[in-house]
Amino acid sequence: IMQCERVNYYQSIHKTLRRLLYLFGIELGSADFTSDVQIHLLIAEFEKVKKYLDDHAAHEDTFFHPFIHEHLPNECEQLEIEH
């Protein structure tokens, strides 16, 4: 019997999101919080990161999860556990 490898629908985008968060963490860790300029740059970067995460969550909720529920109902529970 031939088995198909299971597709990890979340892997690529979530790797990208983790990378984004780690890089922002590195920026925070090396920031000079006595510099108003650097604080303003960090706030701007935080807003970008937050928007990206919010947009991603909205996309999953609006498009991806309904598609999976409709077309792959047997995988929904396992996907939610993994997510």
Coordinates of all heavy atoms in Angstrom, one line a residue:
I1 N 0.9 -1.2 0.0 CA 0.0 0.0 0.0 C 0.9 1.2 0.0 O 1.8 1.4 0.8 CB -0.9 0.0 1.2 CG1 -1.9 -1.2 1.2 CG2 -1.7 1.3 1.3 CD1 -2.7 -1.3 2.4
M2 N 0.6 2.1 -0.9 CA 1.4 3.4 -1.0 C 0.8 4.4 -0.1 O -0.4 4.7 -0.1 CB 1.3 3.8 -2.5 CG 2.3 5.0 -2.7 SD 2.4 5.2 -4.5 CE 2.0 6.9 -4.6
Q3 N 1.6 5.1 0.7 CA 1.2 6.1 1.5 C 1.6 7.5 1.0 O 2.8 7.6 0.5 CB 1.7 6.0 3.0 CG 1.0 4.9 3.7 CD 1.5 4.9 5.2 OE1 2.7 5.2 5.5 NE2 0.6 4.7 6.1
C4 N 0.8 8.5 1.1 CA 1.1 9.8 0.6 C 1.7 10.6 1.8 O 1.2 10.4 2.9 CB -0.1 10.5 0.1 SG -0.8 9.8 -1.4
E5 N 2.7 11.3 1.6 CA 3.3 12.2 2.6 C 2.3 13.3 2.9 O 1.7 13.9 2.0 CB 4.6 12.8 2.2 CG 5.3 13.5 3.3 CD 6.7 14.0 2.8 OE1 7.4 13.2 2.1 OE2 7.0 15.1 3.3
R6 N 2.1 13.5 4.2 CA 1.1 14.6 4.6 C 1.7 15.9 4.4 O 2.9 16.2 4.7 CB 0.8 14.4 6.1 CG -0.4 15.2 6.6 CD -1.0 14.6 7.8 NE -2.1 15.4 8.2 CZ -1.9 16.5 9.0 NH1 -0.7 16.7 9.5 NH2 -2.9 17.2 9.3
V7 N 0.9 16.8 3.9 CA 1.4 18.2 3.6 C 1.2 19.0 4.9 O 0.2 19.0 5.6 CB 0.5 18.8 2.5 CG1 0.9 20.3 2.3 CG2 0.6 18.1 1.2
N8 N 2.3 19.8 5.2 CA 2.2 20.7 6.4 C 1.9 22.1 5.8 O 2.7 22.8 5.3 CB 3.5 20.7 7.1 CG 3.5 21.5 8.4 OD1 2.7 22.4 8.5 ND2 4.4 21.2 9.3
Y9 N 0.6 22.4 6.0 CA 0.1 23.6 5.4 C 0.6 24.9 6.1 O 0.6 26.0 5.5 CB -1.5 23.7 5.5 CG -2.1 22.5 4.7 CD1 -2.6 21.4 5.4 CD2 -2.2 22.6 3.3 CE1 -3.2 20.4 4.7 CE2 -2.8 21.6 2.6 CZ -3.3 20.5 3.3 OH -3.9 19.4 2.6
Y10 N 1.0 24.8 7.3 CA 1.5 25.9 8.1 C 3.0 26.1 8.1 O 3.4 27.2 8.5 CB 1.0 25.7 9.5 CG -0.5 25.7 9.7 CD1 -1.1 24.6 10.0 CD2 -1.2 26.9 9.7 CE1 -2.5 24.5 10.2 CE2 -2.6 26.9 9.8 CZ -3.2 25.7 10.1 OH -4.6 25.7 10.3
Q11 N 3.8 25.2 7.7 CA 5.2 25.2 7.9 C 5.9 26.4 7.3 O 6.6 27.2 8.0 CB 5.9 23.9 7.3 CG 7.3 23.9 7.5 CD 7.9 22.6 7.1 OE1 7.4 21.9 6.2 NE2 9.1 22.3 7.6
S12 N 5.7 26.7 6.0 CA 6.5 27.8 5.4 C 6.1 29.2 6.0 O 7.0 29.9 6.3 CB 6.2 27.8 3.9 OG 6.7 26.7 3.3
I13 N 4.8 29.5 6.1 CA 4.5 30.8 6.6 C 4.8 31.0 8.0 O 5.3 32.0 8.4 CB 3.0 31.1 6.3 CG1 2.6 32.5 6.7 CG2 2.1 30.1 7.1 CD1 3.3 33.6 5.9
H14 N 4.7 29.9 8.8 CA 5.0 30.0 10.2 C 6.5 30.1 10.5 O 7.0 30.8 11.4 CB 4.4 28.9 11.0 CG 2.9 29.1 11.2 ND1 2.1 28.2 11.7 CD2 2.1 30.1 10.8 CE1 0.8 28.6 11.7 NE2 0.8 29.8 11.2
K15 N 7.3 29.5 9.6 CA 8.8 29.7 9.7 C 9.1 31.1 9.4 O 10.0 31.7 10.0 CB 9.5 28.8 8.6 CG 9.7 27.4 9.1 CD 10.6 26.6 8.1 CE 10.9 25.3 8.6 NZ 11.8 24.6 7.6
T16 N 8.4 31.7 8.4 CA 8.6 33.1 8.1 C 8.2 34.0 9.2 O 9.0 35.0 9.6 CB 7.8 33.5 6.8 OG1 8.2 32.6 5.7 CG2 8.0 34.9 6.4
L17 N 7.1 33.7 9.9 CA 6.7 34.5 11.0 C 7.6 34.4 12.2 O 7.9 35.4 12.8 CB 5.3 34.1 11.4 CG 4.1 34.4 10.5 CD1 2.8 33.8 10.9 CD2 4.0 35.9 10.2
R18 N 8.1 33.2 12.4 CA 9.1 33.1 13.5 C 10.4 33.8 13.2 O 10.9 34.5 14.1 CB 9.4 31.6 13.8 CG 8.3 30.8 14.5 CD 8.8 29.5 15.0 NE 9.2 28.6 13.9 CZ 8.3 27.8 13.1 NH1 7.1 27.8 13.4 NH2 8.8 27.1 12.2
R19 N 10.8 33.8 12.0 CA 12.0 34.5 11.6 C 11.8 36.0 11.8 O 12.7 36.7 12.4 CB 12.4 34.3 10.1 CG 13.7 35.0 9.7 CD 14.0 34.6 8.2 NE 15.3 35.1 7.9 CZ 15.5 36.4 7.5 NH1 14.5 37.2 7.4 NH2 16.7 36.8 7.2
L20 N 10.7 36.5 11.4 CA 10.3 37.9 11.6 C 10.4 38.3 13.1 O 11.0 39.3 13.5 CB 8.9 38.2 11.1 CG 8.4 39.6 11.1 CD1 9.1 40.5 10.1 CD2 6.9 39.6 10.8
L21 N 9.8 37.5 13.9 CA 9.8 37.7 15.4 C 11.2 37.6 16.0 O 11.6 38.5 16.8 CB 8.9 36.8 16.1 CG 7.4 37.0 15.8 CD1 6.6 35.8 16.3 CD2 6.9 38.3 16.4
Y22 N 12.0 36.6 15.6 CA 13.3 36.5 16.1 C 14.2 37.7 15.7 O 14.9 38.2 16.5 CB 14.0 35.2 15.6 CG 13.4 34.0 16.0 CD1 13.4 32.8 15.2 CD2 12.8 33.8 17.3 CE1 12.8 31.6 15.6 CE2 12.2 32.7 17.7 CZ 12.2 31.6 16.9 OH 11.7 30.4 17.3
L23 N 14.1 38.2 14.4 CA 14.9 39.3 14.0 C 14.5 40.6 14.8 O 15.3 41.4 15.2 CB 14.7 39.5 12.5 CG 15.4 38.5 11.6 CD1 15.0 38.7 10.2 CD2 16.9 38.4 11.8
F24 N 13.2 40.7 15.0 CA 12.7 41.9 15.8 C 13.3 41.7 17.3 O 13.7 42.7 17.9 CB 11.2 42.0 15.8 CG 10.7 43.2 16.6 CD1 11.0 44.4 16.2 CD2 9.9 43.0 17.7 CE1 10.6 45.6 16.9 CE2 9.4 44.1 18.4 CZ 9.8 45.4 18.0
G25 N 13.3 40.5 17.8 CA 13.8 40.3 19.1 C 15.3 40.7 19.2 O 15.8 41.3 20.2
I26 N 16.0 40.4 18.1 CA 17.5 40.7 18.1 C 17.6 42.2 18.1 O 18.5 42.8 18.8 CB 18.1 40.1 16.8 CG1 18.3 38.6 17.0 CG2 19.5 40.7 16.6 CD1 18.7 37.8 15.8
E27 N 16.8 42.9 17.3 CA 16.8 44.4 17.3 C 16.5 44.9 18.7 O 17.2 45.9 19.1 CB 15.8 44.9 16.3 CG 16.1 44.8 14.9 CD 15.1 45.4 13.9 OE1 14.7 46.6 14.2 OE2 14.7 44.8 13.0
L28 N 15.5 44.4 19.4 CA 15.2 44.9 20.7 C 16.4 44.6 21.7 O 16.7 45.5 22.5 CB 13.9 44.1 21.2 CG 12.6 44.6 20.7 CD1 11.5 43.6 21.2 CD2 12.3 46.0 21.1
G29 N 17.0 43.5 21.5 CA 18.1 43.1 22.4 C 19.3 43.9 22.3 O 20.1 44.1 23.2
S30 N 19.5 44.5 21.1 CA 20.7 45.3 20.9 C 20.3 46.8 20.8 O 21.2 47.6 20.5 CB 21.3 44.9 19.6 OG 20.5 45.1 18.5
A31 N 19.1 47.2 21.2 CA 18.7 48.6 21.1 C 19.3 49.4 22.2 O 19.5 49.0 23.3 CB 17.2 48.7 21.1
D32 N 19.5 50.7 21.9 CA 19.9 51.7 22.9 C 18.6 52.4 23.3 O 18.1 53.3 22.5 CB 20.9 52.6 22.2 CG 21.3 53.8 23.2 OD1 20.8 53.8 24.3 OD2 22.0 54.7 22.7
F33 N 18.0 52.1 24.4 CA 16.8 52.7 24.8 C 16.9 54.1 25.4 O 16.0 54.7 25.8 CB 16.0 51.8 25.8 CG 15.5 50.6 25.1 CD1 16.1 49.3 25.1 CD2 14.3 50.6 24.4 CE1 15.6 48.2 24.4 CE2 13.7 49.6 23.8 CZ 14.4 48.3 23.8
T34 N 18.2 54.6 25.4 CA 18.4 56.0 25.7 C 18.3 56.9 24.5 O 18.3 58.1 24.6 CB 19.7 56.2 26.4 OG1 20.8 55.9 25.5 CG2 19.9 55.3 27.6
S35 N 18.1 56.3 23.3 CA 18.0 57.1 22.1 C 16.6 57.2 21.6 O 16.0 56.2 21.3 CB 18.9 56.4 21.0 OG 18.5 56.9 19.7
D36 N 16.1 58.4 21.6 CA 14.7 58.6 21.2 C 14.5 58.2 19.7 O 13.5 57.6 19.3 CB 14.3 60.1 21.3 CG 14.1 60.5 22.8 OD1 13.9 59.6 23.6 OD2 14.1 61.7 23.0
V37 N 15.5 58.4 18.9 CA 15.5 58.0 17.5 C 15.3 56.5 17.4 O 14.5 56.0 16.6 CB 16.7 58.5 16.7 CG1 16.8 57.9 15.3 CG2 16.8 60.0 16.7
Q38 N 16.1 55.8 18.1 CA 16.1 54.3 18.0 C 14.7 53.8 18.6 O 14.2 52.8 18.1 CB 17.2 53.7 18.8 CG 17.4 52.2 18.4 CD 18.8 51.7 18.7 OE1 19.5 52.1 19.6 NE2 19.2 50.7 17.9
I39 N 14.2 54.4 19.6 CA 12.9 54.0 20.2 C 11.8 54.2 19.1 O 11.0 53.3 18.9 CB 12.6 54.8 21.5 CG1 13.6 54.3 22.6 CG2 11.2 54.6 21.9 CD1 13.5 55.1 23.9
H40 N 11.9 55.3 18.5 CA 10.9 55.6 17.4 C 11.0 54.6 16.3 O 10.0 54.1 15.7 CB 10.9 57.0 16.9 CG 10.4 58.0 17.9 ND1 9.1 58.1 18.3 CD2 11.1 58.9 18.6 CE1 9.0 59.0 19.2 NE2 10.2 59.6 19.4
L41 N 12.2 54.2 15.9 CA 12.4 53.2 14.9 C 11.9 51.8 15.3 O 11.3 51.1 14.5 CB 13.9 53.1 14.5 CG 14.5 54.3 13.7 CD1 16.0 54.2 13.6 CD2 13.8 54.5 12.4
L42 N 12.1 51.5 16.6 CA 11.6 50.2 17.1 C 10.1 50.2 17.1 O 9.5 49.2 16.8 CB 12.2 49.9 18.5 CG 13.7 49.5 18.5 CD1 14.2 49.6 20.0 CD2 13.9 48.2 17.9
I43 N 9.5 51.3 17.5 CA 8.0 51.3 17.6 C 7.5 51.2 16.1 O 6.5 50.4 15.9 CB 7.6 52.7 18.2 CG1 7.9 52.7 19.7 CG2 6.1 52.9 17.9 CD1 7.7 54.0 20.4
A44 N 8.1 51.8 15.2 CA 7.7 51.7 13.8 C 7.8 50.2 13.3 O 6.9 49.7 12.6 CB 8.5 52.6 12.9
E45 N 8.9 49.6 13.7 CA 9.2 48.2 13.3 C 8.2 47.3 14.0 O 7.6 46.3 13.4 CB 10.6 47.8 13.6 CG 11.0 46.4 13.2 CD 10.9 46.2 11.7 OE1 11.1 47.2 10.9 OE2 10.8 45.1 11.2
F46 N 7.9 47.5 15.3 CA 6.9 46.8 16.0 C 5.5 46.9 15.3 O 4.8 45.9 15.1 CB 6.8 47.3 17.4 CG 5.6 46.6 18.1 CD1 5.6 45.3 18.6 CD2 4.4 47.4 18.3 CE1 4.5 44.8 19.2 CE2 3.3 46.8 18.9 CZ 3.4 45.5 19.4
E47 N 5.1 48.1 14.9 CA 3.9 48.2 14.2 C 3.8 47.4 12.9 O 2.8 46.8 12.5 CB 3.6 49.7 13.9 CG 3.4 50.5 15.1 CD 2.1 50.1 15.9 OE1 1.2 49.6 15.3 OE2 2.2 50.3 17.2
K48 N 4.9 47.3 12.2 CA 5.0 46.5 10.9 C 4.8 45.0 11.3 O 4.1 44.3 10.6 CB 6.3 46.7 10.2 CG 6.5 48.0 9.5 CD 7.8 48.1 8.8 CE 8.2 49.5 8.4 NZ 9.6 49.5 7.9
V49 N 5.6 44.6 12.3 CA 5.5 43.2 12.7 C 4.1 42.8 13.2 O 3.5 41.8 12.7 CB 6.5 42.9 13.8 CG1 6.2 41.5 14.4 CG2 7.9 43.0 13.3
K50 N 3.5 43.7 14.0 CA 2.1 43.5 14.4 C 1.1 43.4 13.3 O 0.2 42.5 13.3 CB 1.7 44.6 15.4 CG 0.3 44.4 16.0 CD 0.0 45.5 17.0 CE -1.4 45.3 17.6 NZ -2.5 45.0 16.7
K51 N 1.2 44.3 12.3 CA 0.3 44.3 11.2 C 0.5 43.0 10.4 O -0.5 42.4 10.0 CB 0.6 45.5 10.3 CG -0.3 45.5 9.1 CD -0.3 46.8 8.3 CE -1.1 46.9 7.1 NZ -2.0 45.8 6.8
Y52 N 1.7 42.6 10.2 CA 2.0 41.3 9.4 C 1.3 40.2 10.2 O 0.6 39.3 9.5 CB 3.5 41.1 9.3 CG 3.8 40.1 8.2 CD1 4.0 40.5 6.9 CD2 4.0 38.8 8.6 CE1 4.3 39.6 5.9 CE2 4.3 37.8 7.6 CZ 4.5 38.3 6.3 OH 4.8 37.3 5.3
L53 N 1.5 40.1 11.5 CA 0.8 39.0 12.3 C -0.7 39.1 12.2 O -1.4 38.1 12.1 CB 1.4 39.0 13.7 CG 2.8 38.7 13.9 CD1 3.2 39.0 15.3 CD2 3.1 37.2 13.5
D54 N -1.2 40.3 12.4 CA -2.7 40.5 12.3 C -3.2 40.1 10.9 O -4.3 39.4 10.8 CB -3.0 41.9 12.6 CG -2.8 42.3 14.1 OD1 -2.7 41.4 15.0 OD2 -2.8 43.5 14.4
D55 N -2.5 40.5 9.9 CA -3.0 40.2 8.5 C -2.9 38.7 8.3 O -3.8 38.1 7.7 CB -2.1 40.9 7.5 CG -2.3 42.4 7.4 OD1 -3.3 42.9 8.0 OD2 -1.5 43.1 6.7
H56 N -1.9 38.1 8.8 CA -1.8 36.6 8.7 C -2.9 35.9 9.4 O -3.6 35.0 8.8 CB -0.4 36.1 9.2 CG -0.4 34.6 9.4 ND1 -0.3 33.8 8.4 CD2 -0.5 33.9 10.6 CE1 -0.4 32.5 8.8 NE2 -0.4 32.6 10.2
A57 N -3.2 36.3 10.6 CA -4.3 35.7 11.3 C -5.6 35.9 10.6 O -6.5 35.0 10.5 CB -4.3 36.2 12.8
A58 N -5.9 37.1 10.1 CA -7.1 37.4 9.4 C -7.2 36.5 8.2 O -8.3 36.0 7.8 CB -7.2 38.9 9.1
H59 N -6.1 36.4 7.5 CA -6.1 35.5 6.2 C -6.5 34.1 6.6 O -7.3 33.5 5.9 CB -4.8 35.6 5.5 CG -4.7 34.9 4.3 ND1 -4.3 33.5 4.2 CD2 -5.1 35.2 3.0 CE1 -4.4 33.1 3.0 NE2 -4.8 34.1 2.2
E60 N -5.8 33.6 7.6 CA -6.2 32.2 8.0 C -7.6 32.1 8.4 O -8.3 31.1 8.0 CB -5.3 31.8 9.2 CG -3.9 31.3 8.8 CD -3.2 30.7 10.0 OE1 -3.6 30.8 11.2 OE2 -2.1 30.2 9.7
D61 N -8.1 33.0 9.2 CA -9.5 32.9 9.6 C -10.5 33.1 8.5 O -11.6 32.5 8.5 CB -9.8 34.0 10.7 CG -9.0 33.6 12.0 OD1 -8.6 32.5 12.2 OD2 -8.9 34.6 12.8
T62 N -10.2 34.0 7.5 CA -11.1 34.3 6.5 C -11.1 33.3 5.3 O -12.1 33.0 4.8 CB -10.8 35.7 5.9 OG1 -10.9 36.6 7.0 CG2 -11.8 36.1 4.9
F63 N -9.9 32.9 5.0 CA -9.7 32.1 3.7 C -9.3 30.6 4.0 O -9.9 29.7 3.5 CB -8.7 32.7 2.8 CG -9.2 34.1 2.3 CD1 -8.5 35.2 2.9 CD2 -10.2 34.3 1.5 CE1 -8.9 36.5 2.5 CE2 -10.6 35.5 1.1 CZ -10.0 36.6 1.6
F64 N -8.2 30.5 4.7 CA -7.6 29.2 4.8 C -8.4 28.2 5.7 O -8.7 27.1 5.2 CB -6.2 29.3 5.4 CG -5.4 28.0 5.5 CD1 -5.0 27.4 4.3 CD2 -5.2 27.3 6.7 CE1 -4.4 26.2 4.3 CE2 -4.6 26.1 6.7 CZ -4.1 25.5 5.5
H65 N -8.8 28.6 6.9 CA -9.5 27.6 7.7 C -10.9 27.3 7.1 O -11.2 26.1 7.1 CB -9.7 28.2 9.1 CG -8.3 28.2 9.8 ND1 -8.1 29.2 10.8 CD2 -7.2 27.5 9.7 CE1 -6.8 29.0 11.2 NE2 -6.3 28.0 10.6
P66 N -11.7 28.2 6.6 CA -12.9 27.8 6.0 C -12.7 26.8 4.8 O -13.5 25.9 4.6 CB -13.5 29.1 5.5 CG -13.0 30.1 6.4 CD -11.6 29.7 6.7
F67 N -11.6 27.1 4.0 CA -11.3 26.2 2.9 C -11.0 24.8 3.4 O -11.6 23.8 2.8 CB -10.2 26.7 2.1 CG -9.8 25.9 0.9 CD1 -10.4 26.0 -0.3 CD2 -8.8 24.9 1.1 CE1 -10.0 25.2 -1.4 CE2 -8.4 24.1 0.0 CZ -9.1 24.3 -1.2
I68 N -10.2 24.7 4.4 CA -9.9 23.4 4.9 C -11.1 22.7 5.5 O -11.3 21.5 5.3 CB -8.8 23.5 6.0 CG1 -7.5 24.0 5.4 CG2 -8.5 22.2 6.8 CD1 -6.9 23.1 4.4
H69 N -11.9 23.4 6.2 CA -13.1 22.8 6.8 C -14.1 22.3 5.7 O -14.7 21.3 5.9 CB -13.9 23.8 7.7 CG -13.3 24.0 9.0 ND1 -13.6 23.2 10.1 CD2 -12.4 24.9 9.5 CE1 -12.9 23.5 11.1 NE2 -12.1 24.6 10.8
E70 N -14.1 23.0 4.6 CA -15.0 22.6 3.5 C -14.4 21.4 2.7 O -15.1 20.5 2.4 CB -15.3 23.8 2.6 CG -16.2 23.4 1.4 CD -16.5 24.6 0.5 OE1 -16.3 25.8 0.9 OE2 -17.0 24.4 -0.6
H71 N -13.2 21.5 2.4 CA -12.6 20.5 1.5 C -11.8 19.4 2.1 O -11.6 18.3 1.5 CB -11.6 21.2 0.5 CG -12.4 22.2 -0.4 ND1 -13.2 21.9 -1.4 CD2 -12.4 23.6 -0.3 CE1 -13.7 22.9 -2.0 NE2 -13.2 24.0 -1.3
L72 N -11.4 19.6 3.4 CA -10.6 18.5 4.1 C -11.2 18.4 5.5 O -10.4 18.5 6.4 CB -9.1 18.8 4.1 CG -8.4 19.0 2.7 CD1 -7.1 19.5 2.9 CD2 -8.4 17.6 2.0
P73 N -12.5 18.1 5.6 CA -13.0 18.1 7.0 C -12.4 17.0 7.9 O -12.4 17.2 9.1 CB -14.5 17.8 6.7 CG -14.6 17.1 5.4 CD -13.4 17.7 4.6
N74 N -11.9 16.0 7.4 CA -11.3 14.9 8.2 C -9.9 15.4 8.8 O -9.4 14.7 9.8 CB -11.1 13.6 7.4 CG -12.4 13.0 7.0 OD1 -13.4 13.2 7.6 ND2 -12.4 12.3 5.9
E75 N -9.3 16.4 8.2 CA -8.0 16.8 8.7 C -8.1 18.0 9.7 O -7.1 18.4 10.3 CB -7.1 17.3 7.6 CG -6.7 16.1 6.7 CD -5.6 16.4 5.8 OE1 -4.7 17.3 6.1 OE2 -5.6 15.9 4.7
C76 N -9.3 18.6 9.9 CA -9.5 19.8 10.7 C -9.0 19.6 12.1 O -8.2 20.5 12.6 CB -10.9 20.2 10.7 SG -11.5 20.9 9.1
E77 N -9.4 18.6 12.8 CA -9.0 18.4 14.2 C -7.5 18.3 14.3 O -6.9 19.0 15.2 CB -9.7 17.2 14.8 CG -9.4 17.1 16.3 CD -10.1 15.9 16.9 OE1 -11.1 15.4 16.3 OE2 -9.7 15.4 17.9
Q78 N -6.8 17.5 13.5 CA -5.4 17.4 13.6 C -4.7 18.7 13.2 O -3.7 19.0 13.9 CB -4.9 16.2 12.7 CG -3.4 15.9 12.8 CD -3.1 15.5 14.2 OE1 -3.8 14.8 14.9 NE2 -1.9 15.9 14.7
L79 N -5.2 19.4 12.2 CA -4.6 20.7 11.9 C -4.7 21.7 13.0 O -3.7 22.4 13.3 CB -5.2 21.3 10.6 CG -4.8 20.7 9.3 CD1 -5.7 21.2 8.2 CD2 -3.3 21.0 9.0
E80 N -5.8 21.7 13.7 CA -5.9 22.6 14.8 C -5.0 22.3 16.0 O -4.4 23.2 16.6 CB -7.4 22.7 15.3 CG -8.2 23.4 14.3 CD -9.7 23.7 14.7 OE1 -9.9 23.7 15.9 OE2 -10.5 23.8 13.8
I81 N -4.8 21.0 16.2 CA -3.8 20.6 17.2 C -2.4 21.0 16.9 O -1.7 21.5 17.7 CB -3.9 19.0 17.4 CG1 -5.2 18.6 18.0 CG2 -2.7 18.5 18.2 CD1 -5.5 17.1 18.0
E82 N -2.0 20.8 15.6 CA -0.7 21.2 15.2 C -0.5 22.7 15.1 O 0.6 23.2 15.2 CB -0.4 20.6 13.8 CG -0.3 19.1 13.8 CD -0.3 18.5 12.4 OE1 -0.2 19.2 11.4 OE2 -0.3 17.2 12.3
H83 N -1.5 23.4 14.8 CA -1.4 24.8 14.7 C -1.2 25.5 16.0 O -0.4 26.4 16.2 CB -2.7 25.4 14.0 CG -2.6 26.8 13.6 ND1 -3.4 27.8 14.2 CD2 -1.8 27.5 12.8 CE1 -3.1 28.9 13.7 NE2 -2.1 28.8 12.8

